[in-house]
Amino acid sequence: MSDHHEHSAHGGEEGHSPEHAHEHHEQSFLSKYVFSMDHKVIARQFLITAVVMALVGMVMSSLFRLQLGWPNHKFWLIEYLLGDHWGKGGTIDPNMYLALVTIHGTIMVFFLLTGGLSGTFANLLIPYQVGARDMASGFLNMLSFWFFLISSVVMLCSLFVEGGPASSGWTVYPPLSALPQAIPGSGTGMTLWLLSITLFVISALLGGLNYIITVFNMRTKGMSMTRLPLTIWAFLVTAILGVLSFPVLVSAVVLLLMDRTFGTSFYLSDIYIGGQALESSGGSPILYQHLFWFLGHPEVYIVLLPALGIASEVIATQARKPIFGYRAMIGSILAIGFLSFIVWGHHMFITGMNPFLGSVFVFTTLLIAIPSAVKAFNYITTLWKGNIKFTPAMLFAIGLVSTFVTGGVTGIILADSALDVPVHDTYFVVAHFHIVMGLSAVLGMFAGVYHWFPKLFLRQMNKKMGYLHFWLTFVCAYGTFFPMHFLGLAGVPRRYYTNSAFPMFDQLVNLNMLVSVFAIVGALAQFIFVFNFFYSMFRGPKSEQNPWHSNALEWTTPMAHTHGNWPGALPVVHRWAYDYSKPGKRLDYVPQTVPLEEGEIDGGGH
Amino acid sequence: MIQVLVYVAIVLLIITVAQLVRVFELASELKGAKSNEVNYKDHRTQGKLIMGFLIAFFAFFIWQVFNYKDMLLPEAASVHGKDLDWLMWFNMWLVIIVFFIINFLLFYFAYKYYSRPDSMATYYPHNNKLEMIWTVVPAIVLAVIIILGLKMWNTITEPASQDAIVIELYAKQFDWTARYAGKDNVLGRSNFKNIGGANALGMDTLDPAGLDDIVVHNELHIPVGKQIEFKINSRDVIHSAFMPHFRIQMNAVPGMTTSMHMTPSITTDEMRRKPYVIDQVKRINEIRAKKGEEPYEFNYILLCNKICGASHSNMQMNVVVDTQEQYDTWLGQQKAFFAKK
């Protein structure tokens, strides 16, 4: 035990040379898998936690889709899962419906697509792909996971308190989220929500700072910034966005906590509720929205960029072609990252914000379409004249490009303030952000899991189940979210427990049923993935060292989880990561560690 | 007991599936094939599936358009709404064209270039001219979109004209109240601290401007062809005043008065007589008859569109667009709030 102690105490600082690691290879289970500071183990911890959280979020969505597809019908499953208070007689209580919607959104945005996606792949790939033995600080990295886990546990605990979990929508706008008189979920459940998110932000900051420092300082010899795979560029910009914007969310959350607990009025003014006039005066609920969306919009790209990074790597590798326009891709990532900070107001066009300010946000928001278009066209040109190998990961990556475009184009309508007015907060918005952000990021995450499963668990995932999982997921995803555009254009508002109070929406019942059927089949299809995931983890066929014939550095490490990643010296990098099918080469890939031949130009001829 | 059996059954099922998968794997190992390695057969199958998906996806889109186009909102019933709808469909068609082109290229290339035993990829790392084209072309298109959009935005957000009819929309959990400004067209002061008894809006009894104000709970009447300016308030949480037929929406924020304005252009009666609205209502009533519900008549509607609590999905008010005569008659029948006492 003391042996292990010494090891972990020095491990982080010395960059642990492999010889050193070999002296202490007998680690206890606890230090190897639980309190580990190894980036590969932490990546696995993030991934498994996120999968569990995502299943909770997914089951929630299936429950409220039952209610929306078959309003006020009775389902034993609802009573079984929600109990006889919230699911009395088999229908969801309206307050619980709002709670399910809220926690579904929170889990998917924060726990799956921020913590899960960046936590898994930034941790796994940054040290591997820049050629480092581990993260800059293994200890902070471990803390990042533990804060994430505690935050997840607090969020799950909030499901069981009196009054139910937070239920004012995932954006928790005050005064609804500030006043327990307004909705039962704004009692203890809301306090736990705020606590959980604060812990989550600590986790995100510890992780993000680590990623940034590792990319800037720990690249191996020859790994210049313009030789980095696009995954690393995406993780880097994501981490910078997170570090700059998450603290603002904490400030919003802390002020809300003060309003709820200590009687301040940052967000409250002129309120009469529950038969009495409150003392609060001078606050503004709109202030909260500004603070929230100052994180909230960069958050969209915190979710999306890692997925796009993963897609770049997978598409180039499996199309056996260099990613088209490598430098333009970096430029677009940077442009998207920068612009994401000055567009938050497009969530607030109809809050009574000054119309001129609205115009500015229209302009900046629509500008984002340009780098996004560049990325989409570059992916397509990468496929053009490729030699495409359809691994399950490649299918997911292509699916991502499709959802990124299909969901992205409707953003052009929502970003246009005048056109936003009739569709704001309708199902049109639900369709837009689920397709462009939710689906793209989820498909990207699946692509990452299938592609790097051999690096995560040393084995291959089952291919046939992978294909089945992809097709069911992809078809059901479009089947679920595409028809929502029509619901939105028909004026159906989001977050309605039922539309039955409005006869004008009666004709849309069938459409809602169609959506629900796709949603539930799609949800069931995810169990194929879960099964494949755990089955392959233990019993899948062992993977060879470089199964996809990839150029990137992670595949130059042996198929074993060695501490310090490379058994010998660190690799030296001689070229960019995208020399696929280069003319005059024997093989259709040239790993980054292969020296340039005489007269050979690096980086696709730049 | 049944629960325990169900759990046991689920566990056994998972174990069975795992064993079956294992058997298949061992069987194919015996045959000597690396069954889990992606091979040319897979590339061909998946490539064809991708092409199949593309066709099915586009067919699904077209099917939806034909199926649901009659279920969308009827034509805009306000003056600005007509221009807004034109712009909406201009943008929508642009977006749909881009959607078709890019998805086609993506899936078609994926299909066309699936790996064959003798195929090679073309080394094609970049082309500055091409990249310039797909930076500049979207930029130009977006410039057009932005200019048209901001022009529209300026129209709908410019201050209401002096002679617009002023009506307050007052939100609380979970209903709407309307207050007409009366003959002076000025709303009296109100304060949340005055709320109590019948004075649900907290109107100030000392403000002479409020003496002729009319408070209406059940139905909002507005005259056709006159500009209406809504002043929107909330007393508890954020609500949103959404009138989908008039293409207007504005949040109701406690502690802050927001406003929006529009000029209704089609009366309720005219709308009810339009053939496609009659069709729509007929379809709806067939559905309602099956469920044993009251028949429905077309009505404009004001609904809450910002999550506000348990009955958020039933916070609504009917809106009636009258001819000037109908409106005057209706207004004549209403009494000022303070006159009622």
Side-chain angles (χ1 to χ4, degrees), chain A residues 80 182 272 325 328 350 355 381 385 387-388 390 402 406 417 421 424-425 461 463 471 483 493 496 501 506 579, chain B residues 7 35-36 42-43 46 64 103 113 115 119 122-123 125 131 134 153 173 235 249 251 288 304-306 316:
Chain A
Y80 178 71
Y272 181 95
I350 59 159
T381 318
K385 292 200 170 180
N387 183 22
I388 299 169
F390 283 115
S402 172
T406 308
S417 51
V421 171
H424 189 98
D425 264 343
M461 282 181 93
K463 157 186 97 173
W471 283 110
Y496 265 25
D506 273 357
D579 271 340
Chain B
Y7 290 140
S35 69
N36 202 46
D42 292 322
H43 303 323
Q46 298 304 320
Q64 288 179 92
N103 273 297
Y113 298 107
S115 182
S119 59
T122 306
Y123 188 79
E131 287 169 75
W134 58 58
W153 179 238
Q173 289 179 324
R235 68 142 87 147
Q249 177 167 205
N251 286 0
R288 291 182 71 79
C304 178
N305 198 15
K306 184 62 82 186
Q316 55 173 314

Side-chain angles (χ1 to χ4, degrees), chain A residues 320-583:
Chain A
R320 315 306 296 159
K321 271 188 69 184
I323 193 81
F324 183 81
Y326 173 75
R327 279 168 197 252
M329 289 299 245
I330 297 175
S332 337
I333 292 175
L334 291 172
I336 289 174
F338 171 72
L339 287 172
S340 74
F341 274 103
I342 49 172
V343 299
W344 79 89
H346 67 229
H347 298 268
M348 303 166 59
F349 286 140
I350 59 159
T351 54
M353 191 169 72
N354 184 319
F356 176 72
L357 197 56
S359 311
V360 176
F361 283 119
V362 172
F363 180 70
T364 52
T365 305
L366 284 169
L367 281 186
I368 289 196
I370 299 171
S372 305
V374 169
K375 284 194 87 76
F377 282 120
N378 283 0
Y379 285 130
I380 289 169
T381 318
T382 308
L383 293 179
W384 181 69
K385 292 200 170 180
N387 183 22
I388 299 169
K389 316 269 187 193
F390 283 115
T391 61
M394 181 63 166
L395 288 169
F396 277 104
I398 291 173
L400 175 155
V401 179
S402 172
T403 54
F404 180 59
V405 171
T406 308
V409 287
T410 49
I412 289 173
I413 287 175
L414 291 166
D416 210 331
S417 51
L419 302 183
D420 179 58
V421 171
V423 283
H424 189 98
D425 264 343
T426 66
Y427 269 87
F428 195 83
V429 180
V430 180
H432 163 72
F433 74 77
H434 273 98
I435 295 177
V436 73
M437 179 180 98
L439 287 186
S440 300
V442 167
L443 294 175
M445 189 162 174
F446 280 133
V449 172
Y450 281 99
H451 192 78
W452 280 289
F453 197 82
K455 289 280 25 147
L456 282 162
F457 299 103
L458 312 178
R459 290 166 189 272
Q460 294 277 6
M461 282 181 93
N462 184 294
K463 157 186 97 173
K464 289 198 177 103
M465 279 193 266
Y467 288 141
L468 185 64
H469 172 228
F470 168 75
W471 283 110
L472 283 174
T473 305
F474 194 51
V475 169
C476 290
Y478 266 134
T480 303
F481 297 113
F482 210 98
M484 288 187 185
H485 292 114
F486 294 88
L487 284 173
L489 289 171
V492 180
R494 67 193 282 209
R495 292 165 176 161
Y496 265 25
Y497 170 65
T498 166
N499 302 322
S500 51
F502 295 88
M504 64 186 267
F505 299 141
D506 273 357
Q507 49 180 345
L508 298 161
V509 170
N510 284 336
L511 181 52
N512 256 322
M513 235 185 271
L514 179 78
V515 168
S516 288
V517 169
F518 273 120
I520 289 163
V521 174
L524 289 175
Q526 302 317 305
F527 289 102
I528 300 172
F529 170 77
V530 174
F531 177 81
N532 194 357
F533 184 80
F534 287 105
Y535 177 85
S536 306
M537 192 189 290
F538 298 108
R539 303 184 78 168
K542 288 221 163 71
S543 172
E544 54 185 289
Q545 189 180 323
N546 189 356
W548 319 122
H549 298 181
S550 165
N551 291 342
L553 282 185
E554 74 270 26
W555 305 104
T556 62
T557 63
M559 263 300 152
H561 280 142
T562 44
H563 206 65
N565 295 344
W566 283 269
L570 284 175
V572 177
V573 167
H574 297 282
R575 57 180 73 233
W576 72 332
Y578 296 105
D579 271 340
Y580 290 106
S581 305
K582 200 169 191 180

